[in-house]
Amino acid sequence: MKKIIILMIVAAIGWQAYAKYQHRVADSLVSVAEEHPPAMLRPSATPANYRCDGRTYCSQMTSCEEATWFLRNCPDTKMDGDNDGIPCEKQWCK
């Protein structure tokens, strides 16, 4: 009986230690993400689902990220009327 109680106490301590460890890992991932935001505006960040497929207009895009990727990586896009580097300002990139 004594062994079972000791085993339960050790298991509870282990469980608590693991929970604290997981919380610390999650916090460190959040801080890294805050220091290094997603590279959605860099041409080197080529999401697998984006490719120059002939789309050139804002009405053919589904997000600001997608429109920005197309503007920076594909030829002959017509998404930046004022040439300020921000595409689809009326529809996606407000």
Side-chain angles (χ1 to χ4, degrees), residues 6-18:
I6 292 173
L7 182 62
M8 289 174 61
I9 291 171
V10 169
I13 291 171
W15 184 266
Q16 289 296 320
Y18 180 72

Side-chain angles (χ1 to χ4, degrees), residues 25-39:
V25 168
D27 286 347
S28 67
L29 290 175
V30 168
S31 66
V32 167
E34 288 171 351
E35 292 172 14
H36 306 285

Side-chain angles (χ1 to χ4, degrees), residues 66-78:
E66 182 179 41
T68 302
W69 190 89
F70 269 80
L71 180 67
R72 294 186 178 191
N73 294 284
C74 302
D76 303 321
T77 58
K78 296 165 180 66

Side-chain angles (χ1 to χ4, degrees), residues 33-93:
E34 288 171 351
E35 292 172 14
H36 306 285
M40 68 182 223
L41 298 179
R42 284 187 268 155
S44 61
T46 307
N49 56 340
Y50 296 158
R51 67 180 196 286
C52 296
D53 56 8
R55 292 184 282 164
T56 57
Y57 297 101
C58 294
S59 60
Q60 298 168 315
M61 301 294 123
T62 59
S63 69
C64 179
E65 178 183 17
E66 182 179 41
T68 302
W69 190 89
F70 269 80
L71 180 67
R72 294 186 178 191
N73 294 284
C74 302
D76 303 321
T77 58
K78 296 165 180 66
M79 294 182 272
D80 186 13
D82 58 2
N83 295 313
D84 65 350
I86 302 171
C88 307
E89 292 171 288
K90 291 182 182 176
Q91 292 146 319
W92 299 112
C93 303

